[in-house]
Amino acid sequence: MDVPALPGVDRIDDIPQAVFSLITETTFVGETAPHHHAKAQLMYVIGGVLTVEAEGGIWTVPPHCALWIPSGISHAGRMAGHIKIGSLYIDPNLTEKLDPRCGILFVQPFLHELIRRFDTESPLMNVDRDRRARLIAVLLDELIAAPLQPIYLPMPTDRRLRRLTESMIENPAQRFTIDEWGTRVGASNRTLSRLFQRETGLSFLRWRQQLHVGLALQRLAQGHLVTTIAGDLGYESVSAFIAMFRRMLGTTPARYLDEAVLGASERGPRNMRARDECEDRESMSIGQELATVIPLRRP
């Protein structure tokens, strides 16, 4: 179901503030209409899960993360349930040192508070010009320093690849090889491999893993268990799923959320290590149990 863009989005560029934020909270299942504005936008997900299509790809934005959308880039959001978003808008004249591409970053507590200070309904919006200029400078420094995260799924334009990728998004547990997909869409293994690399910059296997990472982050943020997510994505062992996740993002699913989303400062390192070790033990025991019953397939 499509709906118009968020209320007032067509008037964002008319608001006479170089930096300001708007807080939106709603319960909705569907999509916003594609739109763009001259002001750059930081779309911060305070609660819920948001998927955004922009720059020829799909971006998964878990809670406590934000999608950076540079000036003039068309984008459309997809929501499924209750969501709370803080949208920070920045005049393009202030974004010269910021990344010219879309990207996801984690919003740590300090950046969270800065975004709230620029809320149009906040009394801090009325501070004197010099103090406001200093706050803007600090905000820009924080955005420049924030590393972008690889939670991005580039979408191809070739009709055969589009058919293949849309089918995988709809049913991510499918485990067809690239040869089997070639039979289904009418292209050889070599042709599909070449097209994937040319149109997405990724191999077929890497693209599928990127899809699984994005879906896993959505479901982790919604409170799903790692064991359930692994099964839903077609992995026949939890350890295989965690190994894939670790290769892609450098850590396990639980520790990734602890360190990056919740912030290491909110949890002691000993607590994070304990949770990480607990998850590893769980994945090993379940993986060993499954391995005695069914042969493992390569993810």
Side-chain angles (χ1 to χ4, degrees):
M1 174 175 64
D2 292 335
V3 298
L6 293 174
V9 74
D10 57 333
R11 300 191 299 274
I12 289 299
D13 291 330
D14 296 333
I15 296 177
Q17 294 283 355
V19 178
F20 64 92
S21 62
L22 300 172
I23 307 298
T24 303
E25 187 166 7
T26 185
T27 299
F28 179 73
V29 177
E31 302 179 358
T32 63
H35 59 279
H36 67 276
H37 26 76
K39 285 186 169 68
Q41 181 179 7
L42 186 71
M43 193 176 290
Y44 168 37
V45 177
I46 301 169
V49 179
L50 176 68
T51 301
V52 177
E53 187 163 354
E55 280 197 323
I58 296 174
W59 303 84
T60 300
V61 193
H64 308 287
C65 297
L67 175 62
W68 169 246
I69 305 174
S71 169
I73 291 181
S74 179
H75 52 281
R78 301 175 186 173
M79 293 162 276
H82 191 78
I83 191 165
K84 185 175 183 180
I85 300 173
S87 290
L88 179 75
Y89 297 94
I90 305 176
D91 189 285
N93 293 323
L94 299 176
T95 63
E96 293 180 358
K97 295 183 180 180
L98 299 179
D99 204 299
R101 305 160 299 167
C102 290
I104 287 178
L105 54 91
F106 292 108
V107 178
Q108 300 292 358
F110 183 51
L111 181 55
H112 169 89
E113 289 304 317
L114 282 173
I115 293 171
R116 290 178 63 89
R117 283 174 181 265
F118 288 100
D119 183 1
T120 54
E121 297 185 2
S122 169
L124 290 170
M125 283 292 287
N126 298 319
V127 299
D128 67 81
R129 182 178 301 178
D130 288 343
R131 185 182 176 194
R132 186 175 175 78
R134 291 194 296 271
L135 285 174
I136 290 175
V138 172
L139 171 69
L140 296 177
D141 281 345
E142 286 297 301
L143 292 177
I144 291 171
L148 299 184
Q149 302 296 320
I151 314 173
Y152 170 60
L153 191 67
M155 294 297 292
T157 58
D158 179 89
R159 62 175 181 80
R160 293 163 294 183
L161 286 191
R162 196 77 184 189
R163 179 182 164 194
L164 184 162
T165 53
E166 288 176 353
S167 179
M168 291 173 68
I169 291 172
E170 185 176 345
N171 183 7
Q174 292 180 128
R175 310 301 289 181
F176 297 140
T177 65
I178 195 167
D179 289 310
E180 291 170 325
W181 275 117
T183 300
R184 285 166 171 77
V185 301
S188 68
N189 177 327
R190 184 175 179 181
T191 297
L192 286 183
S193 297
R194 177 172 49 82
L195 285 172
F196 252 104
Q197 193 65 48
R198 186 181 74 191
E199 297 211 1
T200 70
L202 304 172
S203 67
F204 166 75
L205 287 177
R206 182 80 174 187
W207 190 94
R208 184 168 66 184
Q209 290 172 341
Q210 200 89 325
L211 167 65
H212 288 175
V213 165
L215 293 173
L217 287 174
Q218 288 182 359
R219 296 176 188 183
L220 284 166
Q222 293 168 339
H224 294 200
L225 296 175
V226 172
T227 52
T228 303
I229 296 169
D232 289 346
L233 295 180
Y235 291 82
E236 292 182 345
S237 78
V238 181
S239 57
F241 166 71
I242 292 177
M244 180 279 296
F245 194 99
R246 194 196 298 267
R247 285 196 304 272
M248 296 291 286
L249 296 181
T251 187
T252 65
R255 190 165 187 177
Y256 184 81
L257 290 179
D258 270 342
E259 289 182 329
V261 178
L262 298 180
S265 62
E266 297 182 15
R267 294 178 182 266
R270 182 179 303 175
N271 189 24
M272 287 190 294
R273 285 196 299 270
R275 182 173 175 181
D276 195 30
E277 291 166 2
C278 178
E279 181 184 63
D280 285 341
R281 287 197 300 271
E282 178 189 20
S283 69
M284 290 176 63
S285 62
I286 295 174
Q288 290 167 354
E289 180 180 345
L290 288 171
T292 64
V293 180
I294 51 179
L296 301 184
R297 285 184 296 188
R298 188 175 180 179

